[in-house]
Amino acid sequence: MKFGILVNEGPYNHQASDTAYQFTKAALENGHEIFRVFFYYDGVNNATSLGQPPSDDRNVTKNWQKLAEDHKVDLVVCVAAGLRRGIVDGNLAPGFRISGLGQLIEAGIQADRVVAFGD
Amino acid sequence: MKFGILVNEGPYNHQASDTAYQFTKAALENGHEIFRVFFYYDGVNNATSLGQPPSDDRNVTKNWQKLAEDHKVDLVVCVAAGLRRGIVDGNLAPGFRISGLGQLIEAGIQADRVVAFGD
Amino acid sequence: MDEMESGVVKKFMFINRKPPHGTVYALEVLEMVLISAAFDQDVHLAFIDDGVYQIKKGQAPAEIGCKNFSPTYRALDGYDIEKLYVEAEGLAERGLTEDDLLVPVEVLSRAELGKLMGEMDVILTA
Amino acid sequence: MDEMESGVVKKFMFINRKPPHGTVYALEVLEMVLISAAFDQDVHLAFIDDGVYQIKKGQAPAEIGCKNFSPTYRALDGYDIEKLYVEAEGLAERGLTEDDLLVPVEVLSRAELGKLMGEMDVILTA
Amino acid sequence: MTMLHTVNKSPFERNNLDSCLGHAQPGDAILLIEDAVYAAMGGTNIAGKIADAAKTFRLHVLGPDLKARGCDPANLVAGVTVVDYGGFVELAAQNKAVNAWL
Amino acid sequence: MTMLHTVNKSPFERNNLDSCLGHAQPGDAILLIEDAVYAAMGGTNIAGKIADAAKTFRLHVLGPDLKARGCDPANLVAGVTVVDYGGFVELAAQNKAVNAWL
C-alpha cells in the first residue's frame, strides 16, 4: 500500500515529527511504499541543516535523512511555508527538496492513504 | 518600570510573537524600559535571518530588529534552544544576540515584571 | 504537472477546527484549498468547533499586525470550491447564526457532518 | 555573572501544566529550573493539570526515540531545589496518588496553590 | 498585592481559562488576549460562567484582538472591560506579577 | 467502509478527543497516540466515557507512547487494545482513510 505522510510541526517542540518518522519507518519495514513525506506549516523546520541537538538526544533531521538514503523516501518541504520561516536552499539539509504545495495534493491523489501528524 | 519579555513560540505559526512585539512597543511608547526580550523554546526561530514572508504580510523578524535599532532593546536568543533548532551564528538576524538561559533568570531578577507570550 | 490530467478524482475534505489569527493554520489551510482547486478534485471544506470563527463577518486584524485573509473565503467559488459546510452545534455553542458568516454555507448537524466525513477519501484537519 | 552576587532574592515559580514527551516544554522548563539554581533564588516548582504527569513513575521513552529526562526531577534537591508542589485535584482527576510520583512533593489543594502563586514575584508557566 | 493573569487560548478548545479561574485570587486582574477573547462574548454557552467570574475578578479583554476576530465590543459579557496594548502594559505594571496561563 | 481516527492530545487539556468521538461513525477505529494515551487509562474522571466509547468504536492505544509516559497497560479501560507502530500502519491500511484530529 502507498502512503503519503504530512508533517505539520517542527522537530523537538512537538512529538508530531517523531511519531511521523516512527510510522514511516514501520510502514517501510512492513513492506509498504512511502509515496512522499510532505513538510508543511512549522514542519518545514525539520529540514534545517543547522540543528545541533544535544548529543544525548535524538537528531530528528538525521532520522529523516537516513530514511531518504536507505529507502529513497521523497522528503518535500513546502516552498511558501519554508520561505516564510527561513528554510531555504541555503540551509536545506541534504536529502530534502523544496517544492510547491501541489506536491501534497498530488500525494493525496496518488497515495492510497494520507496520514497527518501535527499539534 | 522595567519589563522582561519572554517569547516562547516562533513567528507566523502562533500569534505569541506578534503580541509580545505589540506589548514591547506599547511599553516603550508609555515610557517604560525593556530590560530584555528573551527567545526560548521555538521562540528562537524569530531570530532567523533567512525568512522571507509574503510581501503583503508582516515581517516578524524585521519588527523585532526595528525595536532593537530604535530603542536599543536587548534581543537574546537562548543558545541551547537555538542549537537544537538550527538558529546559530550563521543565520542569526542582525540585532539579536545568542546567550545562555541565565540571561532569562537575570531578567527575572532585574526587571520589575516578566511577561511571557506563548502557545 | 501530469497529475492534473491523471483523471483521478478523489473526495478531499479540509476540516477547520481552529480559530483564525491566534495561529497560522486557518491561513495555510486556505492555501492548501486553493492549490487543490488546480487538481480538479472534489473539494469539501468543513468548519467545526472553533473553526466556525474563521468565516465570521467583520474581521479586521490590522491592529494586531496581521493580514486579513478572510475575504479569500468569498473568492472560493471563483475556483469552483462551493462545498462549504458549517456545523450547527459549533455555531450554537458560540452564540452565532448563519447571519454572522461572511460566505454562503450549508449548515449541517454534527451527525450529518460525521456521516459526510465518513464518505471522504482524504481528510486534512487543522 | 555579577547578578549571581546581586543579593536580590526573588520568589520564582515554575508552573508545569503540560504532560511530558508530547511537547518539549517539560524538558526545557527543567533546563530553566536548573539554571535558576545557580542564581540563588527562592525557586518553587508546581505541577498542576497535566503537569502532574511529568513526575509520574516508570517513564521509558526509548521506543518513541526520546530522552528520558524524568530522573532529573530526583536530582533537583542536589541543586537545593526542594519546594515541589503537586495539586491534589490534578492527581485525583487522573486517578493518581502520591505513590505514583517519582519524587517527594508537597500535595496542596487548588485553593492552597492559588494562594501560594499569589505570593510569587516571577511566574513562568508552560 | 494582586496579580495579572493572561489567557490566550479559546475556552472551547483548551482548559487554560478554567485553570486560571480556578487558581486566581479574588480581586486579581485577568486579561483575555488572542484566541481567548472569544470567552468575553455574550451569547455563548459559557457566558454565564464568565459573567460570574467578572464579579470575583477584574476581567479585561484586549480590543485589537476582538477587532481582528470581528467580535463586537457592544456584545461583551457584562463586567468585562476593553483595553488596548497600552492598557495591557499598565495592567502589568499595576499588579505585582504577571502569570501567563500557557 | 470504516475510517481510522487518530487523536494526539490529552483529553484533560483539549477538546480533540471529544470532537472525534462526536463525529466518528459506529464501527470506526480510533487510535490514541502521544499525549492522548492518558485517555485510555483506568481510574481517571473520564474513564467511564472512554469505556462507553469502546463499545461503539474499535478503540486502540499506541504502546510505545504508553510506555514513554509510565502508563501500565494492565490498567487500561476495558475494551482498549494496545498496538505498536506496525499496528498503527496496519490500522491505517485496513481502514478507508485516516482522519487526524489535530
Side-chain angles (χ1 to χ4, degrees):
Chain A
M1 183 156 275
K2 249 190 289 187
F3 285 101
I5 308 290
L6 173 61
V7 180
N8 292 356
E9 299 295 332
Y12 312 111
N13 225 75
H14 295 88
Q15 199 190 338
S17 178
D18 297 294
T19 308
Y21 163 75
Q22 299 288 354
F23 181 96
T24 304
K25 198 156 82 73
L28 292 164
E29 284 164 4
N30 285 13
H32 296 292
E33 185 187 330
I34 299 296
F35 179 76
R36 177 170 295 150
V37 182
F38 193 84
F39 297 88
Y40 194 46
Y41 309 104
D42 269 6
V44 299
N45 291 324
N46 283 282
T48 178
S49 62
L50 302 172
Q52 299 167 50
S55 55
D56 61 348
D57 201 355
R58 80 270 191 211
N59 186 321
V60 174
T61 301
K62 285 232 164 78
N63 280 348
W64 286 116
Q65 289 178 295
K66 190 150 169 31
L67 281 190
E69 271 170 37
D70 295 352
H71 304 275
K72 301 202 195 310
V73 174
D74 188 21
L75 306 178
V76 179
V77 174
C78 175
V79 59
L83 271 176
R84 197 173 254 141
R85 294 169 177 82
I87 301 297
V88 294
D89 284 331
N91 63 343
L92 188 77
F96 293 84
R97 67 185 178 92
I98 293 176
S99 188
L101 198 44
Q103 300 267 307
L104 170 63
I105 307 301
E106 192 201 9
I109 297 169
Q110 300 293 327
D112 300 301
R113 301 285 183 276
V114 172
V115 190
F117 298 88
D119 181 30
Chain B
M1 183 158 271
K2 250 190 287 187
F3 285 102
I5 308 290
L6 173 61
V7 180
N8 292 356
E9 299 296 332
Y12 312 111
N13 224 75
H14 296 87
Q15 199 190 338
S17 177
D18 296 294
T19 307
Y21 163 75
Q22 299 287 354
F23 181 95
T24 304
K25 199 157 81 74
L28 292 164
E29 284 164 3
N30 284 11
H32 297 292
E33 186 187 331
I34 299 296
F35 179 77
R36 178 169 295 149
V37 182
F38 193 84
F39 297 88
Y40 194 46
Y41 309 104
D42 269 5
V44 299
N45 291 323
N46 283 281
T48 177
S49 62
L50 302 172
Q52 300 166 51
S55 55
D56 61 348
D57 201 355
R58 81 266 190 213
N59 186 320
V60 174
T61 301
K62 286 231 164 76
N63 281 348
W64 285 116
Q65 290 178 292
K66 189 149 170 33
L67 281 190
E69 272 169 37
D70 295 351
H71 303 275
K72 301 201 195 311
V73 174
D74 188 22
L75 305 178
V76 179
V77 174
C78 175
V79 59
L83 271 176
R84 197 173 254 142
R85 293 167 178 84
I87 301 296
V88 294
D89 284 332
N91 63 344
L92 189 76
F96 292 84
R97 65 185 180 92
I98 293 175
S99 188
L101 198 43
Q103 299 267 307
L104 169 62
I105 306 302
E106 191 202 8
I109 297 168
Q110 299 294 327
D112 300 300
R113 302 284 183 276
V114 172
V115 190
F117 298 88
D119 181 32
Chain C
M1 286 191 265
D2 60 355
E3 64 279 4
M4 290 174 68
E5 286 93 40
S6 69
V8 178
V9 178
K10 285 191 174 181
K11 287 178 196 287
F12 276 72
M13 183 180 269
F14 298 91
I15 304 181
N16 294 288
R17 293 187 63 247
K18 293 181 179 155
H21 310 303
T23 54
V24 82
Y25 300 103
L27 169 63
E28 290 192 317
V29 166
L30 208 40
E31 292 178 2
M32 284 202 282
V33 170
L34 290 171
I35 300 279
S36 73
F39 287 80
D40 287 328
Q41 300 297 300
D42 185 12
V43 176
H44 305 68
L45 252 79
F47 299 89
I48 70 172
D49 299 332
D50 281 338
V52 303
Y53 286 129
Q54 293 182 18
I55 48 173
K56 193 174 179 316
K57 276 182 190 159
Q59 297 176 45
E63 283 176 39
I64 63 169
C66 297
K67 177 169 140 178
N68 187 10
F69 57 91
S70 68
T72 309
Y73 295 104
R74 272 203 220 115
L76 291 176
D77 68 345
Y79 293 86
D80 290 326
I81 296 170
E82 291 165 335
K83 296 180 178 171
L84 274 63
Y85 306 95
V86 173
E87 191 159 284
E89 288 85 344
L91 287 177
E93 286 160 9
R94 289 161 186 78
L96 300 176
T97 68
E98 243 183 295
D99 288 343
D100 293 307
L101 306 181
L102 53 78
V103 70
V105 292
E106 188 172 346
V107 179
L108 296 180
S109 69
R110 180 162 298 180
E112 289 168 324
L113 251 177
K115 202 157 166 286
L116 187 62
M117 290 174 187
E119 294 166 10
M120 296 294 125
D121 299 308
V122 179
I123 298 188
L124 294 171
T125 297
Chain D
M1 288 192 267
D2 59 356
E3 63 279 3
M4 290 175 67
E5 285 93 41
S6 69
V8 179
V9 177
K10 285 191 175 180
K11 288 178 194 287
F12 276 70
M13 182 179 271
F14 298 91
I15 304 181
N16 294 289
R17 293 186 64 247
K18 294 181 179 155
H21 310 303
T23 54
V24 82
Y25 300 103
L27 169 62
E28 291 193 318
V29 166
L30 208 39
E31 292 179 3
M32 285 202 283
V33 170
L34 290 172
I35 299 280
S36 72
F39 286 80
D40 287 328
Q41 300 297 299
D42 185 13
V43 176
H44 305 68
L45 252 77
F47 299 89
I48 69 172
D49 300 330
D50 281 338
V52 304
Y53 286 128
Q54 292 182 19
I55 48 173
K56 194 177 178 317
K57 276 182 191 161
Q59 297 176 47
E63 283 176 39
I64 64 169
C66 296
K67 177 171 140 177
N68 188 9
F69 57 90
S70 68
T72 309
Y73 295 105
R74 272 204 221 113
L76 290 176
D77 69 344
Y79 294 86
D80 290 326
I81 296 170
E82 292 167 333
K83 296 179 180 173
L84 274 62
Y85 307 94
V86 173
E87 191 158 285
E89 288 86 344
L91 289 176
E93 286 160 9
R94 289 162 186 77
L96 301 175
T97 68
E98 241 182 294
D99 288 343
D100 293 307
L101 306 181
L102 53 79
V103 69
V105 291
E106 187 173 346
V107 179
L108 296 181
S109 70
R110 181 161 298 179
E112 289 168 323
L113 251 177
K115 201 156 167 289
L116 187 62
M117 290 174 189
E119 295 166 9
M120 297 293 125
D121 299 308
V122 179
I123 299 187
L124 293 171
T125 298
Chain E
M1 276 291 284
T2 56
M3 312 278 283
L4 171 65
H5 304 265
T6 63
V7 178
N8 75 332
K9 292 298 166 197
S10 161
F12 303 106
E13 186 200 358
R14 302 207 202 178
N15 69 347
N16 308 54
L17 179 59
D18 278 338
S19 195
C20 171
L21 294 176
H23 292 91
Q25 300 297 295
D28 277 359
I30 298 175
L31 174 62
L32 305 170
I33 67 172
E34 301 179 357
D35 289 341
V37 300
Y38 295 119
M41 300 312 296
T44 75
N45 67 355
I46 61 158
K49 178 164 78 179
I50 304 302
D52 284 347
K55 290 168 193 156
T56 309
F57 308 109
R58 292 173 291 141
L59 205 49
H60 306 279
V61 61
L62 196 58
D65 277 321
L66 281 177
K67 204 166 163 184
R69 290 160 180 79
C71 295
D72 184 356
N75 187 26
L76 291 176
V77 166
V80 180
T81 314
V82 179
V83 300
D84 60 9
Y85 289 110
F88 183 177
V89 169
E90 296 317 313
L91 280 171
Q94 288 154 14
N95 291 280
K96 183 194 177 191
V98 184
N99 186 355
W101 286 86
L102 305 176
Chain F
M1 276 288 285
T2 56
M3 312 277 283
L4 170 65
H5 304 265
T6 63
V7 178
N8 76 331
K9 292 299 164 194
S10 161
F12 303 107
E13 186 201 358
R14 302 207 202 178
N15 69 347
N16 307 54
L17 179 59
D18 278 337
S19 195
C20 171
L21 294 176
H23 291 92
Q25 300 296 296
D28 277 359
I30 298 175
L31 174 61
L32 305 170
I33 66 172
E34 302 179 355
D35 289 340
V37 301
Y38 295 119
M41 300 312 297
T44 75
N45 66 355
I46 62 159
K49 177 164 79 177
I50 303 303
D52 285 347
K55 290 167 193 157
T56 309
F57 309 109
R58 292 174 290 139
L59 206 48
H60 306 279
V61 62
L62 196 58
D65 277 320
L66 281 176
K67 202 165 164 184
R69 289 161 181 79
C71 295
D72 184 356
N75 187 26
L76 291 177
V77 166
V80 180
T81 316
V82 179
V83 300
D84 60 9
Y85 289 110
F88 183 177
V89 169
E90 297 318 313
L91 280 171
Q94 289 155 13
N95 291 280
K96 183 195 176 192
V98 184
N99 187 356
W101 286 87
L102 305 176

